[in-house]
Amino acid sequence: MRYEYKYFVPTEKLDTLRHLILPFVDLDKYAVDREHNHYTVRSIYFDSPRLEFYDEKVEGIAHRKKVRLRGYDIGQNESTVFMEIKRKYEMPILKNRAPMTFAGAKALLSGQAPIERVIQNSGKFPDAQDNARRFLYQINKRNLRPVVCVIYDREPYLSKTDPTIRITFDKNLRSTPYPRVDQLYTEENLRHCLSNQFILEVKFNDYYPAWMKPIISTLGLKWTSASKYVISMDAQGLGYQTRRSQVISRGNMFKTQYGVGSPVIRKGQKIPTEHLDPLHPGDDRIPKKMKRVIR
């Protein structure tokens, strides 16, 4: 299980924050030798026509999820992307990930290939195929559609004493509305979503790092909700005040070659829903192994 604490940080405090944490952390290997010590994260978020996942976050529902397709930097058909479901149970976070090529993700979501042809289980991802089935179950059950592509530059650090502690600076948050799946790596119609701020994330498995507490206090930062999905939806005008019919009226974009059709569950392909999605039926049940953490 994973925990995340998020903070909005004024951009003018970036150098000070970096200076304060450097005695305790090393730059993540994925950012070493990169310009500005960061890489780019790209996520297409899926939601229902009623924007249920958006509403769950805005309304503070304790048990909620996000469904997204994630890639990094500038991609091609053979670049690795991840189908992800990020679940939150009050504080703990659980993430289901399935890696595949970008071409494989497009084939899966357009119904042109079965899971077994696109994804192989591995030592690092032993449940990759089942996680892909969980993802496709959500797409089909809830009639999910891509509503926004969220893009930002991540400067990542790992604790020198505990590699499960991860500190990230998520900068230059921007987004594009109503993307097609094949537009994961494009940056057309961009809108910048945070002015003169970035998001600090502190991630850990067991204990909040003690050395981080005085740094947070020194900079006068406050722990807060900082959903990049919600921020991007609001910046694009797609959130609470938006006519939800816009999500439905854009239906033509899902009928393109790489849109989300009705595809993914093939004849003879069994998906045991209770096994693959332990929260449904129903989505409100808490997995047994997490009950003791939540109490």
Side-chain angles (χ1 to χ4, degrees):
M1 278 164 299
R2 196 83 169 141
Y3 297 83
E4 294 181 354
Y5 282 60
K6 299 182 181 182
Y7 308 84
F8 289 110
V9 185
T11 303
E12 66 265 21
K13 293 185 178 182
L14 174 59
D15 289 339
T16 303
L17 175 59
R18 189 185 290 124
H19 174 75
L20 290 172
I21 70 168
L22 280 178
F24 308 99
V25 299
D26 293 316
L27 189 65
D28 187 289
K29 64 180 180 180
Y30 294 109
V32 172
D33 298 328
R34 289 176 178 259
E35 187 178 6
H36 306 302
N37 294 332
H38 68 223
Y39 53 83
T40 300
V41 182
R42 305 171 181 275
S43 302
I44 291 179
Y45 282 82
F46 293 76
D47 213 328
S48 69
R50 295 179 178 272
L51 300 184
E52 295 171 55
F53 298 153
Y54 172 89
D55 283 348
E56 287 175 358
K57 174 58 180 178
V58 170
E59 294 171 7
I61 303 302
H63 306 157
R64 56 185 184 267
K65 69 172 67 66
K66 295 187 181 81
V67 176
R68 65 196 182 197
L69 179 69
R70 172 161 287 188
Y72 298 91
D73 296 313
I74 299 173
Q76 302 174 348
N77 274 337
E78 296 310 307
S79 299
T80 299
V81 299
F82 296 85
M83 288 181 172
E84 293 185 351
I85 302 176
K86 183 179 180 180
R87 308 176 189 273
K88 188 165 186 177
Y89 308 89
E90 297 186 9
M91 285 298 296
I93 289 171
L94 178 66
K95 192 180 291 185
N96 301 120
R97 300 187 97 198
M100 66 203 73
T101 64
F102 186 36
K106 291 185 287 189
L108 264 184
L109 288 168
S110 60
Q112 297 176 3
I115 289 173
E116 293 75 16
R117 187 189 304 171
V118 172
I119 303 170
Q120 300 299 318
N121 293 333
S122 65
K124 187 174 181 180
F125 296 97
D127 300 320
Q129 290 184 350
D130 278 353
N131 286 340
R133 293 187 181 99
R134 290 183 173 97
F135 184 96
L136 299 179
Y137 171 86
Q138 292 293 329
I139 293 288
N140 283 272
K141 175 183 178 294
R142 296 177 179 271
N143 193 27
L144 302 185
R145 297 292 184 262
V147 291
V148 70
C149 183
V150 176
I151 307 166
Y152 54 91
D153 302 317
R154 169 163 282 178
E155 183 178 334
Y157 297 90
L158 293 177
S159 168
K160 291 181 177 181
T161 57
D162 182 351
T164 67
I165 295 174
R166 183 174 170 87
I167 309 296
T168 60
F169 306 162
D170 294 341
K171 306 171 293 185
N172 191 23
L173 178 63
R174 55 209 187 269
S175 63
T176 60
Y178 301 119
R180 298 192 311 271
V181 171
D182 63 335
Q183 293 178 316
L184 178 63
Y185 294 103
T186 64
E187 296 201 14
E188 299 176 0
N189 302 317
L190 272 179
R191 177 167 293 179
H192 290 269
C193 304
L194 276 181
S195 178
N196 302 317
Q197 296 182 93
F198 65 94
I199 296 173
L200 162 67
E201 297 191 4
V202 181
K203 306 177 184 183
F204 55 96
N205 288 354
D206 298 312
Y207 302 103
Y208 190 100
W211 50 263
M212 194 68 189
K213 295 177 182 179
I215 294 174
I216 296 297
S217 178
T218 298
L219 295 177
L221 305 180
K222 303 295 184 181
W223 172 38
T224 186
S225 172
S227 167
K228 300 180 192 74
Y229 172 51
V230 169
I231 294 168
S232 297
M233 290 286 284
D234 290 345
Q236 292 288 348
L238 305 178
Y240 243 135
Q241 304 305 320
T242 303
R243 290 181 296 108
R244 300 304 169 80
S245 59
Q246 287 187 17
V247 178
I248 302 172
S249 68
R250 300 291 180 114
N252 60 325
M253 70 181 172
F254 306 120
K255 298 176 183 177
T256 61
Q257 183 177 3
Y258 298 121
V260 179
S262 50
V264 272
I265 307 304
R266 290 177 164 269
K267 184 177 180 180
Q269 182 178 353
K270 296 182 179 179
I271 297 189
T273 56
E274 289 196 33
H275 167 65
L276 295 178
D277 194 341
L279 300 186
H280 209 91
D283 251 322
D284 299 323
R285 278 198 328 210
I286 303 172
K288 291 180 180 178
K289 64 181 180 180
M290 303 194 75
K291 287 183 179 178
R292 63 179 180 274
V293 176
I294 295 173
R295 285 174 182 166

